[in-house]
Amino acid sequence: MQWLVLFFLVQLVLRGSCLCQPLGQIQAPELSQTGDIILGGIFTFHTAYRGKFKFAQTMIFAIDEINKNSDILPNHTLGYKIYNSCGMSNIALSAIVLVNGQEEVLDETHCTGSGTAVAVLGHSGRFLVPVISHFATCACLSDREEFPSFFRTIPSDNHQSRALAKLVKHFGWTWVGAISNLNDYGVNGISTFMQAAQEEGVCIEYYEAFEQSGPASALAKVVETIKRSTSKVIVAFMSHREVKALAAELYKNNITRLQWVGSDAWISDNSLTDAEGHGILVGSLGFVVSKANIPGLGERLRRLHPSQFPRSQFVKDFWEYVFGCALVNSSHTERRPCTGMESLQNEEIYFTDVSELRFENNVYKSVYAVAHALHALRSCESGNSGCTNSQRIEPWQVLQYLQKVNFTTHQGERVTFDENGDIVAKYELINIQSITAGTMHLATVGFFDSTMPRDHQIQMNIRVENGVLQVPVSVCSESCPPGKRKVLYKTRPVCCYDCIPCGEAEISNVTDSLDCFACPIEYWPNTNQDKCLPKDIEFLSFSEIMGITLTFFCLSGTMLTFLFLIVFYQYKETPIVRANNSELSFLLLFSLSLCFLCSLTFIGRPSEWSCILRHTAFGITFVLCISCVLGKTIVVLMAFRATLPGSSVMKWFGPLQQRLSVLTFTLVQVLICILWLTINPPFPQTNMLYYKDRIILECNLGSSIGFWAVLGYIGLLALLCFVLAFLARKLPDNFNEAKFITFSMLIFCAVWITFIPAYVSSPGKFTVAVEIFAILASSYGLLFCIFQEITPQQQLAHN
């Protein structure tokens, strides 16, 4: 309804087809001073003796300071008309008087009078002159179509709402409640906050609105919503009246331990000390306009005296209220008469306190903004747009130059307006640290500067002594640690989610990751799945237990073979050694020692040469060994045939033929190996397929045909040797060597037949271990089965 009254009055002013005549009785200014250029002021200070009157005095102080400054508006003086208005209709009437002057009926042509103000400071509105507000924060006032002449030296609520969203995000509160009152200030402010919060990744659990003057059921609904909620943070965009009512109800219902985040309309309001249960507001955070130091203002306020403003009824009432006395012609006859010696010099009251100059600084900047605009207007060169050669200054000219204002105050604060008439947003972050009867202690704990980069707009300067700052946690779901990822659901807010571990080969290295990422193929996640580590490389090493064990048996077999070789050499002239074909026996022992030693090439880190050597050396030495056994078997058979009457078979398989047969059989294997190495030799490779978390370093066979040809040839010779030895198993005891050869070939064949499936199915280094075991088992079998009958005791028995 009040806005309709204002709109109606302004429309009457805008329509100049009739005589301009104010509605109702013309109101006289509360405070005034003549000057070449008049500035208007509309303040409401009847409702609070403690502070609002200070705004008017700050305006007067700034005007006096400018008039004494020869650098601004030289040869011109500023005057003022300040109205004390309460209620929208009174504000509108004051504005009309400032725009039109004091005459009862004004000039029909341009509706202006002799006392017209070129700008109005204080309340907002759709006036005909530039309006600069120190207090109005509603974002709606930034609409240039509706408010083409409105400026302000206080940041818009649009900035405050976004600053509050950044503050909530800064402390990690992603699950909050929102409450406002039902006027434009609350609804628009909280709407902008919720939009900005969503952009910051903050979720709103609930939103409620009520008015302190509304039904009690609305407040009860808000209290019940807070009681049922799980969030621990409340963002309250409302006035001090609603906050006091809500705090009292929450206190009655024992709903405490909540973190309040407030707007500037209540966070620093000292009247909160009167609220029931005000203790639950301790710890609240909120942004307020930055405070400043205005040199000289404090002394000016303490020099205030009713004689300075003899026509001001408010100054008289204020003086009587402060000192509890009655001035001449006062209506307070019950009070003692004032002595005339009263002074504010020694009075410590809110009016004289200049330690928290916040909105007063905005008034101070507003006066200087108009003064700089007027100075630029008076200083412009003739012929430029907006210049005036007459003594009369039109409001539209001031509006044009006010839009271009850019200056720095004595305190080093830069003042300029954007295209919407808004100032750069800078706030102090304050914290309510204690509330006692009549006193609220606030501490500045941070700053917000919209000119800074996005991630550095909030700066904290919290100092914690004798402990750690305890910040409450308010989240719908706990953060997903690295190693897990968030799973969102369509039916739930984005801040409510589940955390699931990453997949087997995946990691997430940030908190609240939406996705997991696969490690490179050479890497594998650690236990926490938050880091990719190089995979362990696996091969049969000399330093591990299995490698040490196999090395021990390799060297033991070699030493045992040399021991047999020494015994044979020591008794080489004995009949039993001669009977066992000493030349082939020596060659067999030599080849067996090579078989034991070639096992060592399978142990250790595979290299190009070790891969080539391990398979070729194994194939050739084993063929040499089997060739010697085959030669011994043939010799036994020939020897038996030679004992038959008329047999001359031994002349066809004498020592020369035995050597040639061993050489021939071995050369065939050598040829196979040469072809294998020529066509596609073995080479080292990394196997990443068998194990997911390890890399097997192994020897690739190159040509599988070559490998199986080598094994097949060994097997063929072993089978031939086994068949011949089996045929000679029933020879007389003098030829019982055939029995041991048969037994050794049986062991040999059994080992290598079982080797094939074990070799194919064994993983990693166990493949190499199986192959070494087969070599050692077959070598030990040949050594003990063939040479077990030749012992020193048996040799002595033969002697």
Side-chain angles (χ1 to χ4, degrees), residues 112-255:
T112 56
S114 59
T116 301
V118 298
V120 175
L121 278 65
H123 283 281
S124 60
R126 299 180 180 89
F127 307 144
L128 287 177
V129 296
V131 176
I132 308 177
S133 177
H134 66 287
F135 204 75
T137 59
C138 181
C140 59
L141 297 171
S142 298
D143 188 343
R144 268 293 183 246
E145 292 185 0
E146 284 197 64
F147 304 95
S149 61
F150 180 77
F151 297 83
R152 53 183 157 195
T153 52
I154 187 171
S156 162
D157 284 336
N158 183 58
H159 294 292
Q160 182 182 190
S161 299
R162 295 187 176 277
L164 289 174
K166 289 181 178 294
L167 176 67
V168 168
K169 182 63 175 180
H170 177 83
F171 284 104
W173 299 324
T174 58
W175 189 238
V176 302
I179 304 175
S180 76
N181 48 4
L182 288 170
N183 58 14
D184 287 344
Y185 170 78
V187 173
N188 293 338
I190 205 68
S191 297
T192 304
F193 165 76
M194 290 191 292
Q195 179 182 354
Q198 184 178 7
E199 295 172 0
E200 296 287 345
V202 176
C203 295
I204 308 299
E205 183 183 10
Y206 60 85
Y207 167 59
E208 296 289 344
F210 76 101
E211 287 288 341
Q212 185 266 341
S213 58
S217 59
L219 178 57
K221 180 185 176 185
V222 175
V223 173
E224 185 62 26
T225 300
I226 296 174
K227 187 176 182 179
R228 295 196 316 266
S229 68
T230 58
S231 59
K232 302 300 180 183
V233 176
I234 297 177
V235 178
F237 219 98
M238 55 181 70
S239 73
H240 64 279
R241 293 181 297 274
E242 282 74 27
V243 171
K244 290 163 67 174
L246 180 57
E249 287 299 313
L250 292 175
Y251 177 75
K252 292 176 183 177
N253 287 270
N254 196 28
I255 303 174

Side-chain angles (χ1 to χ4, degrees), residues 612 672-683 700-707:
I612 292 174
I672 294 174
C673 290
I674 291 174
L675 291 174
W676 181 13
L677 297 180
T678 303
I679 298 172
N680 192 3
F683 58 90
N700 188 296
L701 297 175
S703 173
S704 298
I705 296 176
F707 175 71

